[in-house]
Amino acid sequence: MPDPTPARPFRLLIVEDEKRLARALAGGLRAEGYTVDVVHDGTEGLRRASEGVHDLVVLDIMLPGLNGYRVCAALRAAGSEVPVLMLTAKDGEYDEAEGLDTGADDYLTKPFSYVVLVARVKALLRRHGRTAAPVLRVGALTVDQGAHTVLRDGAEVTVTAKEFAVLEQLALRAGEVVSKTEILDHVWDFAYEGDLNIVEVYVSALRRKLGAGHIRTVRGAGYRLVTDA
């Protein structure tokens, strides 16, 4: 099974009015071991972020009530140093500069890869002095989330970034069935509308590299990383 998480897991706040995206983000980040709160407008986002209980805020720019720029500026004016990762559907140097000028720590343009989002979150948490336990051990496999390396019986196995991301999701829920849709939501772009069978391609590649016994197919449900292989 995965190593236990820290005594107090990171607590994140998502401020995002696109409810489908907010649900997907929250579900994915909870699967990573974070505690996640979600609100859908800027006024409530500012109130919750001002409580001082969150380790990081994922903040959309285009929000009802107060927009993300105003929320971030108000937080900084009040002395809050909580890391802020801004999300926006806009794309341009001016928008990025404006976001960073209001005190945001990083900036991500939609659509984005879930893998990139998680990497940015982890980097911001490290930068602000908190680190999570990044190593998952499942049977003979060791998945190092920080170094992005995989060991089998102590020997390193070379995997691509996407293969690592798929294996990471399975390792975070070792022993449980993870559906293709869940893997797509976590690993691929949220705007991805391609064939679900792309997941099979990467699972097959992982089986060739790790050994077929590590990943079981649960027909009609998904995949399970076994804990005793």
Side-chain angles (χ1 to χ4, degrees):
M1 295 293 291
D3 285 347
T5 54
R8 186 182 77 79
F10 299 124
R11 186 171 181 179
L12 312 184
L13 175 65
I14 296 174
V15 188
E16 169 60 67
D17 66 325
E18 293 182 39
K19 293 186 179 180
R20 177 179 174 275
L21 175 58
R23 284 195 301 269
L25 285 175
L29 290 168
R30 286 175 184 136
E32 299 279 347
Y34 301 117
T35 298
V36 182
D37 299 312
V38 179
V39 297
H40 301 297
D41 68 83
T43 303
E44 180 65 6
L46 177 58
R47 186 188 72 78
R48 295 296 303 276
S50 299
E51 292 173 350
V53 299
H54 295 97
D55 297 293
L56 183 140
V57 178
V58 179
L59 177 64
D60 189 33
I61 289 179
M62 302 301 290
L63 293 166
L66 298 173
N67 68 31
Y69 295 137
R70 294 177 65 188
V71 171
C72 190
L75 284 172
R76 297 301 183 240
S80 173
E81 297 182 355
V82 63
V84 173
L85 173 59
M86 274 194 167
L87 306 179
T88 181
K90 295 181 178 180
D91 187 12
E93 293 181 0
Y94 174 77
D95 298 312
E96 180 172 359
E98 184 174 354
L100 296 175
D101 282 348
T102 61
D105 297 88
D106 203 352
Y107 182 99
L108 204 54
T109 301
K110 301 174 186 176
F112 50 80
S113 162
Y114 180 78
V115 174
V116 172
L117 174 79
V118 171
R120 299 284 185 88
V121 166
K122 290 178 179 178
L124 286 174
L125 291 170
R126 285 196 301 269
R127 193 185 309 167
H128 285 77
R130 290 204 63 211
T131 56
V135 178
L136 305 171
R137 294 185 177 87
V138 184
L141 301 179
T142 300
V143 181
D144 190 325
Q145 294 178 280
H148 271 226
T149 57
V150 178
L151 305 180
R152 183 186 62 196
D153 293 322
E156 185 167 353
V157 178
T158 301
V159 295
T160 67
K162 274 287 197 297
E163 290 167 355
F164 181 89
V166 171
L167 179 61
E168 182 181 39
Q169 291 308 312
L170 294 172
L172 283 163
R173 295 174 56 185
E176 300 178 20
V177 177
V178 185
S179 71
K180 290 181 182 179
T181 300
E182 289 174 313
I183 294 172
L184 278 174
D185 284 345
H186 296 327
V187 177
W188 273 262
D189 194 298
F190 283 105
Y192 180 79
E193 297 181 351
D195 192 340
L196 279 174
N197 290 331
I198 188 68
V199 177
E200 293 181 13
V201 174
Y202 284 90
V203 169
S204 295
L206 286 168
R207 283 173 170 153
R208 287 195 300 272
K209 294 180 178 183
L210 302 175
H214 289 286
I215 303 174
R216 302 272 174 83
T217 297
V218 180
R219 190 172 298 277
Y223 302 100
R224 177 167 58 88
L225 190 65
V226 299
T227 60
D228 55 358

